[in-house]
Amino acid sequence: MATLKFNKASLQRSVELGEVRLDLPPSKSLLIRQIFLETAQWIRSVGPLESEPKDRSDLAEDIRSAMALTTAIRRHMLAAKHPSLLGVEQSNQVERPNQVERPDQGSEVRWEAGEAGTVMRFGLALLAFAGLGGILQGQGRAHQRPIKGLVDALRALGARIHCLEREGYPPLRLEPSQLHGGRVVLPSNVSSQFASALLLGAVCREVELELHWGPEELLSRPYLDMTLAMLQGSGWSTNAGPCHARLGSYRAVESPALAPEGDWSAATFWILRQAAYPLASTLILSNLNPRSLQGDAVLLGWLPWLAPNLEWAMTPIGSGDRVDLTLHVRNGVEDRSPSWENPAAHHPAEWEQQGDRWICHAAGIPDMVPALAVWAVLRGLRLEIRGVGHLAYKESNRLQALCDNLQGVGIQCRVIHGEEIVLLVEPDRPWAQQLQGDHRPEMGSLRSFGDHRMAMAMSMLAMPGWDIAFDDARVVSKSYPTFWEHWRALGYDLKG
């Protein structure tokens, strides 16, 4: 158990802290796609390994899992095709957190994906298209996250894949197969990661691939658009519409190295907390790309309406497209609610209002949902979040986890199962007032449920004079290893 507590006894309000700068972690979504795309490109020729990535504990665990699995795949293929190129075992090889098990003679290779659903899905497609066999397994909740739509698509392309425990879920056994291109139909109610996995995997075979789904859009569509843009930038012809995507031919191009940009999903916790109850008079979030392919970058367009209490500005970093995003409390005013009637505000397409209830359509921004739910609590706004059914299959059942935690501190929260699954958050007053009333909850004892985004979202409730105890604060390392250090910069200590 670890407790998050405000340590600036001389300050009555956190806004008195002044200016605080937070250096955000690199985008997990972009880096993992880059790692798998580069590996798929390498598999087409299986050349020498000029260098292997060093294990970096400062990176998110999911990124390290992607590096470890793809490095293992490269070494395995190189050993099979060009044993003389492999040489002596290199000391900087990525050994942790995941690595392929070296099999005894006659036994199967075991490929390790860790706890990352993205690495499991991208890894399965890459192994299948590369014609590799073995057992692909994960850790934590990885074996509880459905993968049937991707398995069925790969089987339709010629892969021989067997689910070892229950159909449609890892762990999986792959038999070496020669996959072909062609047309594949995906269910429309599955993650866009399935489509991204197929497109990235097909690169190593240099086959044309057509993906179709419908009539509804895939879930988390912005992340498929990210994959398509990265493929185009690497020389692959692609086209896509609302219900299809296609990978065509390859033409060698001079593709610039992708410089890591800040993670917008990480930024959402700080932006939404600063908008609802400021953490400092001026908060600076570094290395963000305002034109980012990341889905959660949509939050930047919400700021004029969502955060009327803030003045915000973007300061360019160098000559590229990176900026420092500065969020300054306007005239020292801490409590100005968003106003739907404000004619100067742009109301984003993801939002609408019905009576006293606000509605957010969040199918394209699943990672932001926990932070949005807690933002509503901080603001004291009734919020209905739609398009969230797939959140039950994340690192936790995020819908149930949110309800359990918020109900535990006296906030009404429930999941409505109807034509679509909806999360309804119904605070009766702003959080700061809740802490001053007769029904002030005792120090919060909150559960992470093994989920990094749950721990980060619940931390947004921390206030001067109201501490939060977490059952497992270490889970944030999955995506944001420096998260608690950044709370420390804001005047809070994590002890225990």
Side-chain angles (χ1 to χ4, degrees), residues 307-329:
N309 61 315
L310 300 179
E311 295 175 349
W312 57 279
M314 295 182 288
T315 305
I317 302 172
S319 58
D321 50 9
R322 309 294 190 271
V323 301
D324 285 339
L325 177 63
T326 300
L327 304 169
H328 179 72
V329 177

Side-chain angles (χ1 to χ4, degrees), residues 39 42-43 46-47 49 51-53 67-83 85-95 99-100 102 111 132:
T39 301
W42 178 88
I43 287 173
V46 190
L49 289 178
S51 64
E52 293 187 11
M67 292 167 61
L69 178 58
T70 53
T71 299
I73 290 171
R74 291 190 189 211
R75 292 186 62 81
H76 183 87
M77 295 191 73
L78 190 61
K81 188 169 183 178
H82 302 295
L85 293 178
L86 191 57
V88 181
E89 194 82 11
Q90 299 182 34
S91 60
N92 67 344
Q93 181 180 349
V94 178
E95 295 287 354
Q99 185 56 279
V100 62
R102 299 186 179 280
W111 307 99
L132 295 175

Side-chain angles (χ1 to χ4, degrees), residues 187-223:
S188 59
N189 61 343
V190 298
S191 169
S192 66
Q193 279 189 2
F194 291 3
S196 290
L198 291 164
L199 293 168
L200 291 169
V203 164
C204 71
R205 293 280 297 168
E206 203 167 342
V207 294
E208 295 192 1
L209 186 65
E210 287 188 21
L211 306 179
H212 294 264
W213 57 87
E216 297 88 11
E217 279 269 23
L218 291 174
L219 301 173
S220 309
R221 174 60 190 253
Y223 293 93

